[in-house]
């Protein structure tokens, strides 16, 4: 028997949970009830339960603290959270601790029963209490799930799939569907959040979405299949054409239930994109493209909506020319790594595009991603060191896909371009400083020789004009000024520390003309060479 402890500070909730389910039929037994966190921890230590059903907020020791400490007492204890407390940090932290599920009050019997059945199955697999028949059934269920998911991977989402030859009988046979030759419709549930939150929460959130959809739509359709990929739940509905309005209402109702879950994740947003119904399975791709277009439209219309297909339009005629124009405008500031100039051009474009009538979310997304791609291309053109630009672009696409508005998308664009420019500037500073350091060393070791700008430029491997510009930028003085400074400082040392006559000192520090040396020394120190010697020697 699976040992269960129930913990809730409301006595009536505990009684409801005890009487709501036929625990014995699930091979489960309620071994204890607690009304605060401290009692719950004591029961975990004393009874070593397999499952804990707990409110997230309780006196003495709240649910989260109790979960953390309970896991320390018995590492493999499962937790189900039941709560009406809609606060993101609580739900997110609970998921990090590894809770099996969370349910909102008022408690839905069927939802609780489904969760308990999953835990029962997990427990029996863990303890190897399965009969051979049950093992085969579980394996078959897993294989069927993989096969049906394969339809999305191989036939619907693949760019290389041959959809023109799709036949219902073959698809039913190969992927174990129960499709009927009636209506087919694709929908997408889109999750928008920070990338870190997506990685931590998407499996739990995605499973909740799938459960909600199957529960509502299963009875109205010949078949329903969902597929979770990144931040999207893709779905195919197959139903009788006469039920089109009913199915749409059920889908809207399901989305309303999903939005209830959003109360637990106020930093996660949901949107549904709906393609049009098609009567030929070979047209599923059309319905998919329309659902994807609808999802992109949230950038303009906002999240939290069910967005339906519209007639797909080509880009505004001016969009491609706008991309070309912006690329030309940002080329000059990119060449000199002027991030402010790039930001100014992008902000002008953003204002122009968002004020265009009937601009679509898909066009905005394509525009922003094209701009980022062109920026990377221009940086490569000017030989700036961009490590793995392909990976940079793929990462940008991942994060761009999680933006829930056009404003947020443009902010991401500016942030990524400025970050790349900042890295390049930092690397370039290091790259430029090293040859200047080498040049100064060379000058200090060869100042006594008739060295020229070309000699030093050749030594560090730059052309004369670029080296002269770089030397002035990094040193604050030009090559001639720096060479004179080195020579005259050495002359000061010789005047103070030796008895060499001034003509010999002039020659020793690299001056060929004594008159020019005297004039330069006087200008540099305010004293003639012999006066300097008398004063400091």
């Amino acid at each position: 028997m699976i040992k269960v402890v129930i913990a809730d500070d409301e006595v009536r909730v505990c009684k409801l949970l005890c009487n709501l389910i036929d625990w014995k039929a699930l091979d489960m037994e309620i071994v204890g009830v607690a009304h605060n966190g401290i009692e719950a921890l004591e029961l975990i230590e004393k009874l070593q339960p397999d499952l804990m059903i707990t409110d997230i907020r309780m006196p003495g020791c709240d649910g989260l603290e109790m979960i953390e400490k309970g896991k320390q007492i018995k590492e493999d204890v499962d937790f189900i959270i039941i709560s009406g407390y809609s606060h993101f940090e609580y739900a997110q932290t609970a998921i990090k601790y590894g809770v099996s599920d969370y349910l909102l009050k008022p408690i839905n019997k069927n939802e609780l029963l489904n969760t308990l059945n999953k835990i029962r199955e997990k427990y029996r697999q863990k303890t190897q209490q399965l009969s051979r028949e049950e093992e085969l059934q579980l394996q078959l269920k897993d294989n069927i799930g993989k096969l049906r998911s394969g339809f999305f991977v191989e036939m619907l989402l693949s760019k290389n799939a041959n959809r023109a030859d799709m036949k219902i009988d073959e698809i039913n046979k190969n992927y174990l569907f129960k499709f009927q030759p009636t209506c087919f419709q694709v929908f997408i549930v889109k999750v928008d959040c920070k990338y870190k939150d997506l990685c931590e929460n998407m499996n739990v959130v995605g499973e909740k979405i799938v459960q909600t959809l199957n529960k509502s739509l299963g009875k109205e359709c010949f078949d329903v299949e969902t597929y979770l990929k990144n931040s999207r739940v893709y779905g195919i509905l197959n139903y009788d054409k006469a039920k089109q309005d009913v199915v749409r209402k059920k889908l809207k109702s399901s989305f309303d239930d999903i939005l209830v879950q959003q109360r637990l994740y106020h930093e996660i947003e949901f949107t549904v994109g709906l393609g049009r119904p098609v009567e030929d399975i070979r047209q599923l791709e059309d319905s998919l493209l329309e659902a994807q277009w609808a999802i992109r439209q949230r950038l303009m219309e906002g999240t939290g909506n069910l967005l339906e297909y519209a007639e797909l339009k080509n880009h505004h005629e001016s969009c491609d020319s706008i991309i070309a124009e912006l690329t030309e405008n940002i080329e000059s500031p990119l060449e000199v790594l002027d991030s402010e100039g790039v930001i100014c051009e992008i902000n002008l474009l953003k204002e122009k595009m968002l004020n265009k009538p009937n601009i679509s979310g898909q066009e905005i997304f394509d525009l922003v991603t094209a701009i980022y791609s062109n920026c990377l291309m221009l940086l490569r053109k000017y030989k700036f060191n961009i490590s793995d630009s392909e990976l940079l672009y793929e990462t940008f696409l991942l994060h761009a896909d999680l933006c829930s508005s056009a404003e947020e998308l443009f902010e991401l664009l500016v942030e990524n371009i400025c970050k790349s420019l900042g890295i390049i500037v930092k690397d370039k500073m290091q790259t430029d400083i090293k040859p200047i350091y080498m040049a100064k060393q060379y000058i200090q070791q060869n100042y006594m020789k008739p060295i020229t700008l070309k000699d030093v430029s050749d030594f560090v491997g730059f052309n004369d004009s670029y080296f002269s510009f770089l030397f002035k930028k990094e040193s604050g003085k030009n090559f001639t000024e720096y060479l004179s400074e080195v020579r005259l400082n050495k002359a000061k040392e010789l005047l103070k520390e030796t008895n060499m006559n001034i003509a010999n000192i002039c020659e020793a520090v690299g001056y060929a003309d004594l008159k020019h040396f005297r004039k330069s020394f006087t200008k540099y120190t305010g004293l003639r060479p012999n006066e300097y010697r008398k004063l400091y020697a």
Side-chain angles (χ1 to χ4, degrees):
M1 294 285 277
I2 299 169
K3 295 189 290 185
V4 181
V5 168
I6 294 172
D8 197 297
D9 59 339
E10 294 184 58
V11 176
R12 62 181 183 83
V13 173
C14 293
K15 287 182 178 179
L16 173 65
L17 287 170
C18 289
N19 298 318
L20 190 63
I21 300 293
D22 184 351
W23 297 96
K24 190 174 181 181
L26 291 172
D27 199 26
M28 294 182 177
E29 178 188 5
I30 296 176
V31 295
V33 175
H35 297 298
N36 61 61
I38 295 171
E39 284 181 14
L41 286 174
E42 290 173 353
L43 289 180
I44 293 175
E45 190 161 11
K46 179 181 177 182
L47 302 173
Q48 294 289 298
D50 305 296
L51 173 63
M52 192 90 184
I53 302 175
T54 178
D55 192 344
I56 206 166
R57 297 179 75 200
M58 284 192 299
C61 173
D62 74 22
L64 293 181
E65 188 181 354
M66 193 264 288
I67 292 168
E68 184 180 16
K69 291 181 177 178
K71 287 278 188 181
Q72 292 171 3
I73 296 170
K74 190 174 189 289
E75 187 178 351
D76 62 348
V77 62
D78 278 310
F79 283 90
I80 297 173
I81 286 178
I82 296 178
S83 179
Y85 188 64
S86 56
H87 200 275
F88 171 74
E89 285 80 9
Y90 272 70
Q92 186 188 44
T93 307
I95 290 167
K96 286 179 183 177
Y97 287 150
V99 298
S100 296
D101 206 346
Y102 62 88
L103 306 174
L104 292 178
K105 294 177 181 177
I107 300 162
N108 181 289
K109 179 179 178 179
N110 289 331
E111 193 175 0
L112 175 58
L113 195 57
N114 287 336
T115 299
L116 292 172
N117 275 319
K118 282 193 303 180
I119 290 174
R120 175 176 175 266
E121 189 176 288
K122 172 185 168 184
Y123 178 82
R124 296 189 70 192
Q125 287 183 57
K126 182 173 69 175
T127 56
Q128 296 182 333
Q129 293 178 359
L130 299 174
S131 67
R132 178 60 180 164
E133 183 180 350
E134 287 173 322
E135 286 180 1
L136 289 173
Q137 286 177 346
L138 284 172
Q139 188 175 353
L140 179 61
K141 183 179 177 183
D142 185 49
N143 290 340
I144 290 172
K146 288 177 181 176
L147 272 175
R148 287 167 70 102
S149 294
F151 178 74
F152 286 89
V153 176
E154 297 161 13
M155 297 303 297
L156 196 59
L157 301 177
S158 171
K159 294 179 181 178
N160 303 318
N162 183 10
R163 301 180 188 90
D165 296 332
M166 286 198 304
K167 296 177 182 177
I168 288 180
D169 291 343
E170 290 182 6
I171 289 171
N172 286 342
K173 179 181 176 183
N174 294 334
Y175 297 101
L176 301 181
F177 284 112
K178 299 174 184 176
F179 288 152
Q180 298 293 318
T182 53
C183 269
F184 296 90
Q185 193 167 19
V186 174
F187 67 86
I188 300 170
V189 182
K190 179 70 176 68
V191 178
D192 289 317
C193 60
K194 294 177 182 176
Y195 183 73
K196 180 175 177 289
D197 294 335
L198 177 75
C199 296
E200 290 178 347
N201 302 321
M202 192 57 201
N203 284 339
V204 175
V205 173
E207 189 175 332
K208 275 287 177 188
I209 292 170
V210 170
Q211 283 176 4
T212 304
L213 292 167
N214 287 337
K215 173 184 165 186
S216 178
L217 295 164
K219 294 178 182 179
E220 306 299 336
C221 299
F222 296 119
D223 211 337
V224 179
E225 185 58 29
T226 53
Y227 175 68
L228 176 63
K229 184 179 182 183
N230 296 331
S231 61
R232 286 171 168 77
V233 176
Y234 294 89
I236 296 176
L237 305 174
N238 175 228
Y239 54 85
D240 191 315
K241 188 176 181 180
K243 286 193 170 185
Q244 185 173 325
D245 290 340
V246 174
V247 169
R248 191 197 174 283
K249 287 177 182 176
K250 287 285 186 181
L251 184 61
K252 179 68 171 68
S253 174
S254 298
F255 184 52
D256 290 339
D257 290 340
I258 290 168
L259 289 179
V260 170
Q261 302 294 332
Q262 186 174 321
R263 291 187 303 162
L264 287 169
Y265 300 97
H266 69 247
E267 292 188 13
I268 294 181
E269 300 171 87
F270 300 104
T271 307
V272 173
L274 188 60
R276 65 184 169 88
V278 295
E279 295 184 19
D280 189 334
I281 196 167
R282 290 172 296 184
Q283 296 176 296
L284 264 179
E285 183 183 15
D286 296 335
S287 187
L288 170 67
L289 290 173
E290 290 160 351
Q292 289 174 330
W293 183 93
I295 283 297
R296 289 281 187 237
Q297 198 60 15
R298 78 197 190 285
L299 295 173
M300 307 306 297
E301 298 183 27
T303 59
N305 300 305
L306 190 152
L307 302 174
E308 299 195 51
Y309 60 91
E311 184 181 347
L312 297 183
K313 303 172 184 175
N314 293 325
H315 278 295
H316 273 77
E317 291 180 6
S318 59
C319 275
D320 290 338
S321 62
I322 285 172
I323 292 171
E325 181 186 345
L326 178 75
T327 302
E328 185 178 338
N329 290 346
I330 63 175
E331 187 164 357
S332 294
L334 274 178
E335 184 180 2
V336 295
L337 303 175
D338 175 14
S339 58
E340 291 298 323
V342 175
I343 291 170
C344 180
E345 291 294 339
I346 290 174
N347 285 337
L348 288 173
L349 172 75
K350 179 181 75 171
E351 187 176 346
K352 182 178 181 180
M353 293 307 294
L354 296 187
N355 287 326
K356 270 188 175 293
N358 301 320
I359 188 79
S360 71
Q362 185 66 56
E363 287 174 308
I364 291 292
F365 186 85
D366 292 343
L367 182 79
V368 167
T369 52
I371 292 168
Y372 186 68
S373 176
N374 287 358
C375 281
L376 293 177
M377 177 194 70
L378 287 171
L379 291 173
R380 289 196 301 271
K381 173 185 173 182
Y382 291 114
K383 310 294 184 188
F384 292 127
N385 182 29
I386 295 285
S387 58
D388 205 342
S389 57
E390 286 186 13
L391 179 60
L392 270 180
Y393 182 68
E394 290 300 319
T395 304
F396 176 78
L397 286 182
L398 262 179
H399 288 261
D401 193 46
L402 294 173
C403 291
S404 58
S405 69
E407 283 284 346
E408 190 180 344
L409 191 59
F410 274 102
E411 285 173 13
L412 180 76
L413 174 65
V414 167
E415 178 188 327
N416 275 262
I417 291 174
C418 289
K419 184 178 179 182
S420 293
L421 292 182
I423 292 170
I424 292 168
V425 167
K426 186 177 179 181
D427 289 345
K428 191 165 175 53
M429 283 177 62
Q430 295 300 320
T431 303
D432 290 348
I433 287 171
K434 186 176 180 181
I436 299 306
Y437 173 76
M438 290 169 59
K440 287 182 176 179
Q441 271 195 322
Y442 181 86
I443 291 168
Q444 288 167 6
Q445 292 168 359
N446 295 278
Y447 64 87
M448 70 292 299
K449 301 174 185 176
I451 56 175
T452 64
L453 175 67
K454 186 175 185 341
D455 294 331
V456 184
S457 300
D458 289 345
F459 175 73
V460 296
F462 287 161
N463 66 59
D464 298 1
S465 57
Y466 181 69
F467 172 73
S468 179
F469 163 77
L470 194 61
F471 195 92
K472 172 81 173 178
K473 177 185 171 186
E474 297 297 332
S475 303
K477 52 180 72 76
N478 63 34
F479 165 76
T480 303
E481 290 169 340
Y482 183 78
L483 176 61
S484 294
E485 186 179 286
V486 171
R487 285 172 168 172
L488 293 170
N489 281 334
K490 187 62 181 176
K492 284 163 63 178
E493 289 179 25
L494 294 174
L495 284 167
K496 286 193 295 183
E497 297 171 7
T498 72
N499 293 320
M500 291 173 63
N501 64 45
I502 292 172
N504 287 340
I505 289 175
C506 168
E507 184 179 349
V509 298
Y511 279 92
D513 182 85
L514 181 60
K515 184 178 179 182
H516 177 53
F517 168 69
R518 290 180 188 276
K519 184 177 179 182
S520 297
F521 189 91
T522 303
K523 183 178 179 181
Y524 183 62
T525 64
L527 298 168
R528 291 191 291 272
N530 57 343
E531 292 175 338
Y532 185 89
R533 172 170 271 172
K534 286 178 182 177
L535 190 61
Y536 292 104

